[in-house]
Amino acid sequence: SDLQKQEERGELLQPLIFVLLVLCSVLLYFKVSLMDPGFVKSEEEVKAGKSEEQSMVIPQVPSNIKMRRCGYCMVKQPMRAKHCQLCQHCVRRYDHHCPWIENCVGEKNHPLFIVYLSVQLVVLLWGGHVAWSGLYFEQSWDWLQHNILLLMSFLLIVIFTIVVLLLLISHLYLISCNTTTWEFMSHHRISYLRHSELENPFDQGVILNLWRFFC
């Protein structure tokens, strides 16, 4: 049949891949939105659950810095954790609270958040190419009436592509430095950074930083 011939020529392969990418980005969105970003559990929960501590290199912290309890949820805050007033929890390796996913980005979902941004960027670039290929510009009112929705869609895709691209680049840069958005923006207010002899005591080199983050 004609449909089978089109499939053999690969004409249906690209639309199928595009739909699968869109579906994958939607599933990643819900996964990142609904998963635990790394909430700090109370001491009783930690003892009952016997949770395993992740192996990580702790930098030398000056002795005058004391680990404190959170003034909101009263749990003992580990280093690099911060209380999110929107989530009402302390989050390990807190990066930021993302309003797009209505969840914090922290120790557990940060790598998946980067994967989601990457897939979303591919979908937007591909969608922008599809929209652009359907535009044939003419200086007439009739052309504008027939193509106004496609033109608006293309402009929206361009705006979201720029936003996602800048967000992904900024996160990859911070990951390569082994720092978080919160630490980068509030360096002067964080005790373990303000009193440290090193500007960034967590930095272990780009390759090792990326390896520890993703692997």
Side-chain angles (χ1 to χ4, degrees):
S1 65
D2 292 337
L3 184 62
Q4 186 177 0
K5 291 179 181 178
Q6 288 178 354
E7 183 177 2
E8 290 174 353
R9 289 198 299 265
E11 294 180 6
L12 295 181
L13 182 60
Q14 289 188 358
L16 180 61
I17 294 175
F18 179 75
V19 171
L20 290 176
L21 278 174
V22 173
L23 180 61
C24 181
S25 69
V26 173
L27 292 177
L28 282 170
Y29 172 81
F30 283 109
K31 177 66 175 177
V32 175
S33 300
L34 299 175
M35 73 181 295
D36 177 4
F39 294 133
V40 179
K41 297 180 180 179
S42 65
E43 295 172 353
E44 291 78 11
E45 289 177 306
V46 172
K47 290 179 182 178
K50 296 181 180 179
S51 60
E52 298 179 356
E53 294 184 356
Q54 294 185 349
S55 59
M56 59 181 295
V57 177
I58 306 282
Q60 293 296 323
V61 182
S63 58
N64 60 339
I65 298 178
K66 296 181 179 179
M67 298 297 103
R68 64 184 184 87
R69 286 188 179 274
C70 175
Y72 296 95
C73 52
M74 299 307 294
V75 298
K76 189 177 292 185
Q77 275 190 342
M79 190 179 294
R80 311 190 80 177
K82 182 182 182 297
H83 183 87
C84 176
Q85 296 189 16
L86 294 174
C87 293
Q88 296 298 314
H89 282 287
C90 285
V91 180
R92 292 179 181 272
R93 201 181 183 277
Y94 175 86
D95 189 88
H96 71 287
H97 183 92
C98 181
W100 296 98
I101 64 174
E102 274 300 318
N103 195 10
C104 282
V105 176
E107 185 179 73
K108 290 187 177 180
N109 66 348
H110 199 173
L112 204 60
F113 180 72
I114 299 299
V115 175
Y116 163 68
L117 288 180
S118 302
V119 174
Q120 192 65 54
L121 181 61
V122 173
V123 171
L124 286 168
L125 289 172
W126 198 338
H129 172 72
V130 171
W132 178 261
S133 64
L135 288 172
Y136 299 95
F137 294 97
E138 295 179 6
Q139 294 182 352
S140 65
W141 178 250
D142 290 336
W143 176 89
L144 185 61
Q145 284 183 320
H146 286 90
N147 292 273
I148 184 66
L149 291 178
L150 185 59
L151 187 60
M152 291 177 62
S153 299
F154 176 74
L155 293 176
L156 281 175
I157 290 173
V158 170
I159 293 172
F160 282 117
T161 300
I162 293 173
V163 171
V164 172
L165 179 62
L166 292 176
L167 190 60
L168 181 60
I169 290 174
S170 64
H171 272 276
L172 289 176
Y173 168 75
L174 294 175
I175 291 167
S176 67
C177 299
N178 197 359
T179 188
T180 63
T181 303
W182 171 58
E183 290 172 341
F184 181 78
M185 300 295 291
S186 306
H187 187 279
H188 62 286
R189 294 193 292 114
I190 302 173
S191 58
Y192 59 80
L193 294 179
R194 189 173 68 249
H195 295 100
S196 175
E197 295 179 358
L198 301 174
E199 184 176 353
N200 181 11
F202 301 101
D203 188 9
Q204 297 175 322
V206 175
I207 296 177
L208 192 56
N209 290 338
L210 293 173
W211 174 264
R212 287 188 176 278
F213 181 84
F214 287 107
C215 305

